[in-house]
Amino acid sequence: MKIDTKALGSASAAAFATNRKSGGADFKAVLEAKQQPPQQPTAAQELDTYMKKSPAERMAEMILKSLGETPESLAAKSPAEQASIMAKVAALIKQKMEEATAKANGGGDGGGASGASGVSVAV
């Protein structure tokens, strides 16, 4: 049996040309979509990102926000300013831990709570 390679070659070339034209349009659409600015994250993506953070990271972010800062704005500051802000954050975290420990121990006085706080922070 003899196969007519000219006819096969012509058919393949015609099919390739048709696919190439439509493929080019698809590629252009994909390229344009990739060049558009990124879209805002969805609520589900934000929740997922939030849940992946440790409780300490969440608390630090909350305190930063209460100080009027974001992780991005903090990164833009000088190292001395960053250290100052992080010292405030650490002090506020310690204070919140002491308050939580005092509340867990039945709302005892501040002196007793600070000793217990050192133990709970180490855990």
Side-chain angles (χ1 to χ4, degrees):
M1 172 177 200
K2 187 175 180 183
I3 299 176
D4 185 8
T5 56
K6 279 188 176 182
L8 184 59
S10 297
S12 295
F16 177 72
T18 304
N19 287 341
R20 185 173 179 183
K21 286 180 185 174
S22 67
D26 292 338
F27 178 75
K28 184 178 179 182
V30 169
L31 182 62
E32 287 173 356
K34 293 288 183 186
Q35 291 177 344
Q36 292 178 356
Q39 296 178 354
Q40 294 292 328
T42 65
Q45 290 169 332
E46 287 181 19
L47 178 62
D48 187 47
T49 301
Y50 179 78
M51 294 307 293
K52 287 181 180 177
K53 294 178 184 177
S54 70
E57 289 173 320
R58 292 182 211 154
M59 183 180 280
E61 198 169 289
M62 260 184 7
I63 291 172
L64 269 179
K65 187 176 180 181
S66 74
L67 295 173
E69 298 289 340
T70 63
E72 294 80 19
S73 69
L74 184 64
K77 296 189 181 295
S78 71
E81 289 175 315
Q82 289 179 7
S84 172
I85 291 170
M86 291 311 292
K88 288 179 188 176
V89 169
L92 288 170
I93 288 175
K94 182 178 179 183
Q95 178 184 352
K96 288 188 180 288
M97 293 295 290
E98 288 172 353
E99 290 171 2
T101 303
K103 193 180 280 187
N105 290 336
D109 66 339
S114 65
S117 170
V119 173
S120 68
V121 171
V123 174

